[in-house]
Amino acid sequence: MGRFIVRRVIQMVLVMFAVSVLTFLIFNVIPNSDPAVRMSGRQASESTIEAIREEWGFNDSLPQQYITTMEKVITGDLKSQFTQLSVGKEIVKGLPRTFSLAIGAALLWMFVAICFGLYSAVKAGKFADRFLTIIALIGISMPVFWIGALANYYLGFKLGWFPNGGYVEFTEDPIDWFYHLILPWTVLAILFIGFYSRVLRSNVLDTINEDYVRTARAKGLGERQIMIRHVLRNSMIPIVTLWGLDFGAVLGGGAILTETVFDLQGVGQYTAEAIGQLDVPPVLAVTMFSAFFIVLLNAVVDILYAYLDPRIRLQ
Amino acid sequence: MSVEATEPRADDGAPGDAAPLVEVEHLKVFFGIKQGILVEREVARVHAVNDVTFSVDEGETLGLVGESGCGKTTLSRAIMRLIDSTEGSLRFRGEDVTKAGRRQMQPLRREMQMVFQDPFASLNPRKRVGQIIGMPLRLHGSDRQGVEPQVRELLDKVGLHPEHVNRYPHEFSGGQRQRIGVARALALEPRLIVLDEPVSALDVSVQAQIINLLDDLQDQFKLTYLFVAHDLSVVRHVSDRIAVMYLGKLMEVSPAEELYTKPIHPYTSALLAAIPIPDPRENRRRERLVVSGEPPNPINPPSGCVFHPRCPRATQVCREEEPPLVRYPNGHLAACHHPLNVSDAEIRDAARDPSSPVSAGDSLPGTTADAA
Amino acid sequence: MADALLSVEDLRVSFATEEGVVEAVDGVSFDLAAGEVLAVVGESGSGKSVTAMTLMGLTRSPNARFEGTAQYKGTELIGASEDELRRVRGAEIAMIFQDPMTSLNPVQRIGKQIVEQIQEHEGLPDQQARERTVELLERVGIPRARERVDNYPHEFSGGMRQRVMIALALSCNPSVLIADEPTTALDVTIQAQILQRMRDLREETGAAVILVTHDLGVVADIADRIAVMYAGRIVEEGTLDQIFYDPQHPYTWGLLGSITRVDKPRPARLPAIAGLPPSLANRPQGCHFRPRCPHEFSECSKVPPLEAHVQGNPEHRDRCWLSVDEKLAKREVLPGEIGLASKEHAPA
């Protein structure tokens, strides 16, 4: 197991390297125009452009440019070309907000999806199953920006049950923190719940017909024990992969719409604003930042996978 | 090199003067187990087929018997050129096909066909029977109109109704599906059919039907069979000769009937003893010899004779030296330091057979100091 | 039988499928005495496995219908509630399945899977349950049981997994063991080991066994009594020697005849039963074996009752309209030999 983890971590470093090279190429080389000009905005003076060219070393060889760029990304020594604020500091400021949203939503959607999926599978073909199927389809079909705006308007603005967007630090007031996040969590989770519960349902239905489930029944176990000990764990294995990827994406600021609709000021919203302004340094940094979380969660998933399915550890 | 071919063959009713159709010489098939982070390197090798030499004559049936993991399936796939061999050579009709590529195999493919074990998995469920049987014909150049009568004729030959040409596989029982598999193999009038456990998945009463069918077809079309099986009971009725494999090596090659009355290798004898006899009185009388243990891992085969850890007759020499294949009367070969059912005179006349593995020692039974 | 441990009376199981109602088990009755081995023999689709699994309540589904009774020590199994059945399953009646590769949960340690059953029925503390598990694994012949108890199924070979399944089945000292093709998926030498182990364990535990199999060789090795099933019905029932040396039903003749034997000279052709087993959704009227039977006559369109025909052997029963004398004349009996073929039988 130890060797497996070490191997997986080394792989992760290699993938991160590959991603960084690709990102570098996409931002600095492939557009085939002077990167310094693109980076300095529309009405930059000749001297500004020259300063940026100097700062980023755009006159050096490509490998040297890569090193300079990555140094800046990793140390956070990047400035927005419009606000001149440090990108690193902005991301750090957004982190607790994005993490609060991601962790809460991921736990919520996983928990509810397991309940729905399992219940749906146990009642397969009955009314409850059909009802949940329809609910899931509606959940999958509703775009986040729409349902988010709707929830914000009716539940927040009109009825005043929930705050109308915004964020409160956990350290400041945990209850208010929770209160502010209920809507974002729910809205972000709805899409995933629909999707995950469908996948889990079909996995459970496959697993129920496995021989070892019949063995479990022949042992005299109760239906609940069979479901939890023998069916659920085995059905979860494919779900964990999905979950890792989605969770990683949301952690890395992927919930752009949710963050923006609820004005959470997290990494996702920061990304959205930077893209809107064609502000290259933040976009570059956030791209690497998201890639890191996706790769990291991927590695975590593989390790989790090995825990869930001992057969994988051998390979 | 072609040893089996030049020497007189067993007189067990097999056409002895025919030229060998398949010649396998010192064939090895190893599978590498690879591991690594960026660059994979081989950390171990599965010795699936480990220096095997034999030949199959035109019109003959060779039974290839062994338990799971002995390499019989790998060997049959290697002969069909479905997997590459690691070392050794392979000839079909005298032509060297060891490294034959797609182009060289193309004309030979129609001469070698295969029938698979699982009649449920080996037929495409979305294709009609006519399409399944007709496919090889179409691939080898027959036109659409020409195929249908041929397919009907084939169905008739394997004992199915020609009118069933438009049905789907799921409309047939296991035995009938296996007949479809046989018809597909027959379509191109092959010389060699490799039968990979063709009746193992079938009910007893249906097994007998398929065996009899294979028997009839062989007479009718002068077919050569390589019949792969996991135990000795079924192969007996079709085989002229039987080769017993264990852990990638040949243990014994014998004229079919002689193997049952006079097994020389203790492993063969164990395989025979393990088959339950459907006769309660005989069973009560019979002293059951149950071989203990399980086949070892083919990644790390035992030293000396690969069967020694499970063999009741094993001694020091078995652990140290790999026994050569020794030739006894009737072309009966066995690789054992302590052979069963052979007289002292036969042991005296026995000689190391050139088909022995290269790694085998030279000491013949009876010459070593320690006896069983 | 008054002293029967398990008594099955007119059991019928039918499933609603897309092709109509399939009567998988069509009026099966038998008794199982304490300590005896009853072999239920038949080909695929004969209903032998469905019968066995129904006793454990493992065939229950919304599409299944059950009739008849199965009394185990005075408890009715067929109509029992899930809770009642749970107390029987694993503790009183245990089951060994055909495929050891898929019958154990791949993501749980084997020890845990056995401990789970012991604790379910006897509520032993962890340490004691684990000790018993190690003992059981030793008894079924798993070397280094104390270390291997924490291994996962994929770390065992097929033969070893079947031993684990047997240990699991024996863990609560059941009175009845149902073994559904326990050696079919195994290599011959491993099959011989498992059968020997089962014979020894049977002596030790005194459990009655229902052995479901298609292999008459295995049956000859281990059974006391045999029930031969064909297309959902028992067509013949008797002691081991009665079935092997004085078979009364033409299907049994064919079954015995089509076995390949390694201890006798080989016949020129294998005797085979002509035709195919009927589809369960569409079975012939009367005797189900009629279309394949070389001795069919007018009477066969009516269902023959399962009755004793041989003088002095009331426990030897069969479903055939032929008289004992007619059977004697049509059946080919070689003295001291089994492997009967009917005289009129033309090979397929």
Side-chain angles (χ1 to χ4, degrees):
Chain A
M1 195 67 183
R3 279 195 53 182
F4 180 84
I5 293 175
V6 169
R7 225 167 60 214
R8 201 60 194 77
V9 168
I10 293 173
Q11 268 172 8
M12 190 183 125
V13 171
L14 292 173
V15 171
M16 260 331 276
F17 173 70
V19 169
S20 68
V21 170
L22 270 177
T23 312
F24 166 73
L25 290 175
I26 290 168
F27 275 85
N28 291 8
V29 182
I30 292 178
N32 202 22
S33 64
D34 190 343
V37 175
R38 266 184 289 123
M39 214 175 259
S40 40
R42 272 167 217 150
Q43 281 117 21
S45 66
E46 201 57 40
S47 62
T48 319
I49 296 175
E50 202 46 50
I52 284 178
R53 194 190 310 281
E54 195 57 36
E55 191 194 342
W56 289 74
F58 287 137
N59 288 325
D60 301 337
S61 65
L62 278 182
Q64 186 56 48
Q65 279 187 40
Y66 167 77
I67 291 169
T68 314
T69 309
M70 283 308 131
E71 259 178 7
K72 283 173 167 296
V73 170
I74 291 164
T75 55
D77 177 25
L78 286 171
K79 277 199 207 74
S80 156
Q81 62 203 45
F82 295 100
T83 58
Q84 296 301 319
L85 290 172
S86 159
V87 173
K89 282 195 185 127
E90 288 295 306
I91 290 180
V92 170
K93 215 171 91 193
L95 266 185
R97 298 151 181 263
T98 297
F99 275 26
S100 299
L101 172 70
I103 295 170
L107 290 177
L108 179 69
W109 89 59
M110 202 63 173
F111 177 75
V112 178
I114 289 174
C115 295
F116 278 18
L118 209 55
Y119 191 72
S120 213
V122 172
K123 302 273 172 201
K126 301 222 175 90
F127 173 77
D129 176 37
R130 281 160 213 248
F131 181 73
L132 283 176
T133 304
I134 292 167
I135 296 286
L137 280 175
I138 293 174
I140 294 170
S141 324
M142 283 191 301
V144 168
F145 57 83
W146 180 73
I147 189 176
L150 226 59
N152 216 1
Y153 180 74
Y154 284 105
L155 302 177
F157 179 69
K158 277 232 154 157
L159 294 169
W161 292 356
F162 294 97
N164 193 0
Y167 177 81
V168 173
E169 292 291 336
F170 181 78
T171 45
E172 241 170 65
D173 185 348
I175 295 169
D176 215 21
W177 169 83
F178 188 82
Y179 185 48
H180 273 84
L181 281 166
I182 293 176
L183 275 187
W185 282 339
T186 314
V187 166
L188 182 56
I190 280 176
L191 166 80
F192 292 111
I193 290 171
F195 188 52
Y196 280 44
S197 65
R198 300 312 293 164
V199 176
L200 187 69
R201 174 187 181 271
S202 74
N203 285 343
V204 168
L205 285 179
D206 285 345
T207 311
I208 280 178
N209 290 320
E210 293 282 352
D211 285 353
Y212 57 80
V213 174
R214 186 180 60 186
T215 306
R217 200 157 279 136
K219 286 200 247 181
L221 301 184
E223 231 21 60
R224 184 178 302 247
Q225 289 160 303
I226 293 172
M227 274 297 168
I228 290 168
R229 286 192 214 155
H230 294 277
V231 177
L232 190 57
R233 179 167 168 187
N234 300 55
S235 317
M236 287 291 287
I237 293 169
I239 298 269
V240 165
T241 313
L242 280 178
W243 183 77
L245 291 174
D246 289 337
F247 182 48
V250 177
L251 271 184
I256 293 178
L257 294 172
T258 314
E259 288 193 15
T260 309
V261 167
F262 292 101
D263 192 28
L264 289 177
Q265 304 282 346
V267 180
Q269 194 172 355
Y270 180 60
T271 313
E273 283 160 11
I275 292 173
Q277 295 168 325
L278 286 175
D279 197 350
V280 177
V283 177
L284 180 67
V286 169
T287 307
M288 286 295 292
F289 173 82
S290 316
F292 171 74
F293 277 103
I294 291 177
V295 173
L296 175 75
L297 261 293
N298 232 330
V300 171
V301 160
D302 276 3
I303 292 163
L304 208 64
Y305 220 99
Y307 164 75
L308 282 172
D309 191 342
R311 285 167 296 184
I312 296 194
R313 284 172 222 170
L314 281 187
Q315 291 152 17
Chain B
M1 278 295 275
S2 167
V3 173
E4 288 271 79
T6 51
E7 295 204 11
R9 276 274 331 287
D11 47 2
D12 189 52
D17 50 344
L21 186 66
V22 179
E23 291 161 274
V24 176
E25 266 170 31
H26 299 291
L27 196 78
K28 293 186 181 177
V29 184
F30 294 165
F31 298 114
I33 296 179
K34 296 197 172 106
Q35 220 174 50
I37 294 156
L38 255 193
V39 184
E40 299 207 311
R41 70 208 148 79
E42 199 173 278
V43 290
R45 300 180 116 188
V46 178
H47 299 67
V49 175
N50 196 355
D51 201 339
V52 166
T53 305
F54 68 91
S55 64
V56 189
D57 287 337
E58 187 102 53
E60 173 186 47
T61 300
L62 179 73
L64 187 60
V65 177
E67 296 179 278
S68 47
C70 75
K72 58 186 191 295
T73 303
T74 306
L75 180 55
S76 67
R77 298 263 196 290
I79 289 172
M80 290 292 291
R81 292 286 298 122
L82 296 173
I83 46 178
D84 284 325
S85 48
T86 313
E87 255 179 60
S89 73
L90 189 63
R91 280 194 295 281
F92 186 74
R93 262 205 282 111
E95 185 180 341
D96 191 332
V97 294
T98 318
K99 302 264 179 267
R102 186 180 274 264
R103 189 149 318 150
Q104 195 191 341
M105 285 310 290
Q106 179 74 22
L108 298 179
R109 280 269 174 245
R110 61 183 307 160
E111 297 188 30
M112 43 171 86
Q113 292 293 323
M114 200 154 182
V115 175
F116 297 93
Q117 171 174 4
D118 189 343
F120 292 86
S122 57
L123 301 178
N124 185 342
R126 285 181 193 82
K127 290 257 194 292
R128 295 173 193 279
V129 168
Q131 289 171 295
I132 290 170
I133 300 173
M135 183 59 84
L137 290 166
R138 299 278 303 280
L139 285 176
H140 282 85
S142 299
D143 56 41
R144 196 182 286 268
Q145 283 77 35
V147 167
E148 168 112 9
Q150 289 185 61
V151 170
R152 285 172 177 272
E153 200 185 320
L154 283 164
L155 284 172
D156 187 51
K157 276 178 192 154
V158 298
L160 293 171
H161 288 294
E163 306 86 72
H164 290 173
V165 64
N166 283 325
R167 294 201 179 175
Y168 288 97
H170 70 87
E171 297 174 64
F172 294 90
S173 69
Q176 288 173 314
R177 283 184 216 207
Q178 204 53 298
R179 287 175 194 264
I180 296 169
V182 172
R184 174 173 60 180
L186 279 178
L188 292 170
E189 297 169 20
R191 295 208 204 179
L192 173 72
I193 298 186
V194 173
L195 303 154
D196 187 6
E197 310 234 14
V199 298
S200 305
L202 305 177
D203 278 323
V204 214
S205 72
V206 182
Q207 277 190 5
Q209 293 175 6
I210 299 291
I211 294 278
N212 288 337
L213 171 72
L214 290 170
D215 217 18
D216 294 343
L217 292 171
Q218 181 167 40
D219 291 346
Q220 202 179 338
F221 298 104
K222 304 283 173 286
L223 295 166
T224 305
Y225 286 154
L226 180 65
F227 194 113
V228 180
H230 66 275
D231 75 37
L232 282 166
S233 57
V234 165
V235 278
R236 184 182 190 197
H237 291 269
V238 286
S239 302
D240 299 308
R241 284 189 308 145
I242 293 176
V244 179
M245 268 183 96
Y246 183 75
L247 221 62
K249 303 232 180 219
L250 283 183
M251 297 284 106
E252 184 162 0
V253 183
S254 161
E257 266 316 275
E258 199 171 295
L259 194 77
Y260 294 86
T261 53
K262 196 187 138 186
I264 293 180
H265 201 288
Y267 178 59
T268 313
S269 151
L271 274 183
L272 283 170
I275 298 170
I277 291 178
D279 185 341
R281 282 177 201 147
E282 183 64 35
N283 249 332
R284 274 167 233 146
R285 232 186 348 254
R286 187 159 74 137
E287 182 86 19
R288 292 300 291 274
L289 179 129
V290 175
V291 178
S292 60
E294 301 194 352
N297 194 332
I299 292 175
N300 219 341
S303 65
C305 171
V306 286
F307 185 57
H308 87 253
R310 299 176 73 192
C311 184
R313 297 168 71 83
T315 59
Q316 194 58 30
V317 65
C318 305
R319 283 182 277 279
E320 287 165 359
E321 194 183 328
E322 185 184 341
L325 274 164
V326 173
R327 180 166 287 264
Y328 297 98
N330 286 335
H332 194 150
L333 307 179
C336 181
H337 291 301
H338 308 298
L340 302 161
N341 296 318
V342 281
S343 67
D344 289 345
E346 283 171 341
I347 291 185
R348 224 176 300 119
D349 294 338
R352 184 188 205 269
D353 193 86
S355 64
S356 303
V358 180
S359 55
D362 280 323
S363 52
L364 297 172
T367 57
T368 43
D370 61 352
Chain C
M1 248 184 273
D3 57 342
L5 188 62
L6 177 71
S7 180
V8 179
E9 199 55 50
D10 200 25
L11 181 67
R12 288 166 198 277
V13 184
S14 55
F15 299 101
T17 70
E18 283 168 21
E19 282 133 59
V21 175
V22 168
E23 297 209 338
V25 179
D26 186 8
V28 162
S29 308
F30 62 84
D31 287 326
L32 182 72
E36 79 167 338
V37 178
L38 171 71
V40 181
V41 181
E43 298 180 275
S44 47
S46 62
K48 59 188 193 301
S49 285
V50 175
T51 304
M53 295 215 275
T54 300
L55 297 177
M56 295 278 279
L58 296 178
T59 46
R60 292 182 175 195
S61 86
N63 299 330
R65 278 198 57 215
F66 304 95
E67 282 172 56
T69 62
Q71 298 272 335
Y72 168 79
K73 287 185 181 168
T75 315
E76 174 54 48
L77 298 176
I78 302 303
S81 71
E82 274 298 303
D83 279 344
E84 286 171 309
L85 264 185
R86 275 179 56 195
R87 281 193 287 276
V88 173
R89 286 177 187 158
E92 299 285 341
I93 306 178
M95 191 147 183
I96 302 169
F97 297 98
Q98 171 172 359
D99 192 346
M101 305 313 264
T102 57
S103 294
L104 288 164
N105 190 336
V107 307
Q108 270 188 15
R109 298 172 199 279
I110 55 131
K112 196 179 161 207
Q113 299 189 43
I114 298 177
V115 165
E116 184 181 44
Q117 168 160 317
I118 297 172
Q119 293 190 325
E120 175 68 31
H121 292 292
E122 299 179 23
L124 289 184
D126 289 353
Q127 196 50 43
Q128 261 175 287
R130 194 184 150 85
E131 273 311 305
R132 170 150 4 140
T133 303
V134 173
E135 268 167 46
L136 282 161
L137 293 176
E138 277 165 359
R139 250 171 80 196
V140 295
I142 289 178
R144 306 198 326 277
R146 194 163 293 279
E147 299 159 40
R148 305 219 64 185
V149 64
D150 286 325
N151 284 16
Y152 289 95
H154 68 94
E155 296 171 274
F156 290 84
S157 66
M160 285 297 155
R161 287 192 216 186
Q162 198 58 302
R163 287 169 196 259
V164 172
M165 283 301 292
I166 294 173
L168 173 68
L170 294 176
S171 64
C172 297
N173 294 315
S175 314
V176 178
L177 200 60
I178 300 177
D180 188 358
E181 306 265 12
T183 60
T184 308
L186 304 174
D187 275 324
V188 270
T189 58
I190 308 301
Q191 166 174 304
Q193 292 171 5
I194 297 284
L195 284 177
Q196 194 179 46
R197 186 64 60 169
M198 283 180 69
R199 273 194 302 270
D200 294 347
L201 289 169
R202 181 197 158 201
E203 301 282 309
E204 286 172 35
T205 62
V209 179
I210 298 177
L211 175 72
V212 177
T213 182
H214 70 280
D215 188 338
L216 281 164
V218 171
V219 171
D221 226 17
I222 198 168
D224 299 319
R225 277 195 312 128
I226 299 176
V228 181
M229 283 189 73
Y230 186 79
R233 291 185 188 143
I234 292 180
V235 293
E236 184 165 2
E237 187 191 356
T239 63
L240 185 64
D241 284 17
Q242 284 164 357
I243 300 287
F244 272 91
Y245 301 114
D246 189 20
Q248 295 296 307
H249 197 283
Y251 175 64
T252 315
W253 305 346
L255 214 49
L256 287 167
S258 54
I259 305 169
T260 54
R261 293 192 60 168
V262 292
D263 60 329
K264 292 273 151 57
R266 70 172 168 190
R269 277 184 87 75
L270 272 174
I273 305 176
L276 298 163
S279 112
L280 287 180
N282 186 18
R283 281 178 302 201
Q285 293 285 308
C287 171
H288 292 332
F289 188 59
R290 181 162 59 107
R292 300 176 76 185
C293 185
H295 314 299
E296 185 205 356
F297 65 113
S298 57
E299 204 72 352
C300 298
S301 55
K302 289 181 290 181
V303 181
L306 187 63
E307 279 174 353
H309 295 111
V310 185
Q311 278 277 304
N313 285 331
E315 74 276 34
H316 189 181
R317 302 185 295 168
D318 67 274
R319 277 187 200 274
C320 183
W321 288 115
L322 291 172
S323 72
V324 179
D325 292 337
E326 282 172 305
K327 284 173 183 162
L328 264 181
K330 290 178 195 280
R331 188 176 78 186
E332 204 169 273
V333 187
L334 305 173
E337 273 213 34
I338 61 116
L340 299 138
S342 56
K343 280 179 180 163
E344 296 167 26
H345 198 140

